[in-house]
């Protein structure tokens, strides 16, 4: 398939610029196996689950990863953290009018300096004069996606974060999880649905465009994942009792499928560049809750691989016609593996 096969027309006013008033206040498009599409509310989601199912959440926590600095010449620099390395070094996306130089450190808030080390494709390796996580937690702002055309507000510090986030390291939220509040989680548990967690630290690369039309030529960005022995055991028990493994978001799909590349699910800690397109053979996940994704994006390609190209693209056309809200703060869809 080609990149352009995953294009669709999206009116700009359907791109959600703010979260719904209530976390679970959005809409939910259900794609049953052989029935018409169902327009629901997210509060209906527990009713689509069955006792014995397993919800798998991504427990990554978004870092306030955007800071601004000044060069010795007075030039402005924006730094968007991608990941923390060792020795106070970071990988970051840098926006500046002129290239950074090692002999000209960037002055950051709190008297901290960032010194250029080297380039890694689109990313800059920088050396900070302070411990990176603590620095960004104190001085950074929430890194809203590029299609949200406003500055981060106080409310985004909590709303662009899942209620179960606990492992700091992401620079973008696993957005399917943003719909869950404590009441929805309690209703799922009361129905006999179990839960477990994996960790995928979402990078800013999730917003990168696919630049080639031949998908076999696309190099997927790397993201760090952790799939524990506990999560593997919970999934094995679910399969044994005939329940479904329900991934809350494409990040969970990538985590679990990456950990099963040897043929069966195993604990895994490291990086993944897994690029899932139609024709991929899924090994672990049975059902998927996900938001609506950008045209021609790797995330839309994953969802089409999971739910069927014609079915998913048809659902997107329906969502546009019914004026669903799109992307990170938008509405959700629920589908089973084809």
């Amino acid at each position: 398939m080609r990149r352009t096969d995953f294009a669709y027309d999206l009116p700009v006013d359907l791109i959600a610029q703010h979260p719904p008033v209530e976390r679970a206040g959005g809409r939910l498009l259900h794609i049953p196996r052989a029935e018409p599409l169902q327009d629901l509310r997210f509060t209906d989601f527990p009713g689509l689950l069955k006792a014995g199912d397993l919800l798998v959440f991504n427990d990554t926590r978004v870092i306030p990863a955007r800071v601004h600095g000044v060069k010795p010449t007075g030039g402005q620099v924006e730094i968007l953290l991608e990941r923390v390395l060792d020795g106070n070094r970071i990988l970051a996306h840098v926006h500046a009018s002129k290239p950074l130089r090692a002999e000209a450190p960037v002055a950051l808030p709190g008297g901290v300096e960032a010194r250029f080390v080297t380039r890694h494709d689109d990313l800059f390796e920088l050396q900070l004069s302070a411990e990176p996580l603590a620095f960004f937690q104190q001085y950074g702002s929430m890194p809203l996606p590029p299609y949200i055309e406003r500055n981060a507000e106080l409310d985004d510090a909590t709303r662009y974060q899942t209620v179960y986030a606990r492992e700091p390291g992401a620079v973008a939220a696993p957005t399917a999880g943003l719909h869950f509040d404590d009441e929805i989680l309690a209703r799922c548990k009361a129905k006999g649905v179990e839960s477990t967690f994996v960790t995928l630290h979402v990078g800013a690369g999730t917003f990168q465009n696919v630049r080639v039309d031949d998908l076999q030529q696309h190099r997927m960005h790397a993201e760090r994942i952790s799939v524990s022995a506990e999560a593997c055991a919970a999934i094995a028990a679910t399969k044994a009792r005939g329940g479904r493994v329900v991934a809350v978001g494409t990040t969970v799909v990538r985590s679990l499928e990456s950990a099963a590349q040897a043929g069966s699910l195993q604990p895994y800690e490291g990086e993944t560049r897994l690029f899932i397109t139609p024709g991929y053979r899924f090994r672990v996940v049975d059902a998927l809750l996900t938001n609506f994704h950008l045209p021609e994006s790797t995330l839309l390609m994953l969802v089409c691989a999971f739910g069927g190209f014609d079915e998913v693209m048809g659902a997107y056309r329906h969502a546009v016609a019914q004026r669903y809200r799109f992307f990170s703060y938008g509405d959700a869809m629920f589908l089973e593996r084809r």
Side-chain angles (χ1 to χ4, degrees), residues 60-288:
T60 188
R61 187 170 187 85
V62 181
I63 301 168
R66 179 175 279 116
V67 296
H68 293 85
V70 182
K71 296 180 181 179
T73 59
Q76 299 295 308
V77 179
E78 180 186 86
I79 296 175
L80 176 61
L81 177 68
E82 175 74 14
R83 104 178 42 163
V84 176
L85 306 175
D86 57 7
N88 287 359
R89 293 175 302 119
I90 65 171
L91 286 180
H93 300 264
V94 175
H95 299 283
S97 58
K98 293 183 179 180
L100 300 185
R101 294 180 291 117
E103 65 274 16
V106 176
L108 299 175
V112 174
E113 289 186 340
R115 191 177 296 272
F116 172 72
V117 178
T118 188
R119 287 284 297 267
H120 300 272
D121 298 325
D122 292 336
L123 296 173
F124 290 71
E125 182 178 330
L126 305 176
Q127 175 86 38
L128 299 191
S129 61
E131 197 283 316
L133 273 181
F135 167 74
F136 279 95
Q137 290 288 355
Q138 183 172 358
Y139 296 106
S141 63
M142 197 58 94
L144 294 181
Y147 44 74
I148 294 182
E149 298 178 344
R150 60 177 177 82
N151 293 326
E153 300 169 358
L154 185 61
D155 193 40
D156 293 308
T158 54
R159 295 304 303 275
Y160 195 60
Q161 198 84 266
T162 63
V163 297
Y164 46 79
R166 59 187 181 186
E167 298 291 341
V171 301
T175 55
L178 298 180
H179 300 279
F180 288 85
D181 59 17
D182 291 338
E183 181 181 350
I184 293 290
L185 292 171
R187 287 175 57 196
C188 292
K189 184 176 181 180
K191 192 166 184 177
V193 175
E194 298 186 3
S195 63
T196 192
F197 298 90
V198 298
T199 304
L200 183 148
H201 292 312
V202 190
T206 193
F207 304 117
Q208 288 180 352
N209 296 325
V210 177
R211 298 168 181 169
V212 294
D213 198 37
D214 180 359
L215 300 185
Q216 293 184 350
Q217 303 302 315
H218 176 66
R219 178 171 168 78
M220 191 71 172
H221 60 282
E223 291 174 315
R224 290 175 295 153
I225 65 172
S226 175
V227 178
S228 66
E230 179 184 11
C232 293
I235 289 167
T238 300
K239 298 283 190 181
R241 64 174 175 260
R244 297 176 301 173
V245 175
V246 181
V248 179
T250 56
T251 60
V252 171
V253 176
R254 288 191 68 223
S255 298
L256 295 179
E257 295 298 325
S258 295
Q261 287 302 289
S264 61
L265 183 65
Q266 301 292 331
Y268 182 84
E269 188 98 25
E271 287 191 346
T272 180
R273 288 185 180 269
L274 181 63
F275 181 26
I276 297 176
T277 58
Y280 176 86
R281 177 177 171 268
F282 290 88
R283 295 176 171 87
V284 182
V285 179
D286 302 304
L288 170 63

Side-chain angles (χ1 to χ4, degrees), residues 6-17:
F6 299 89
Y8 66 91
D9 294 325
L10 179 67
V12 174
D13 65 328
L14 295 186
I15 301 174
Q17 297 296 310

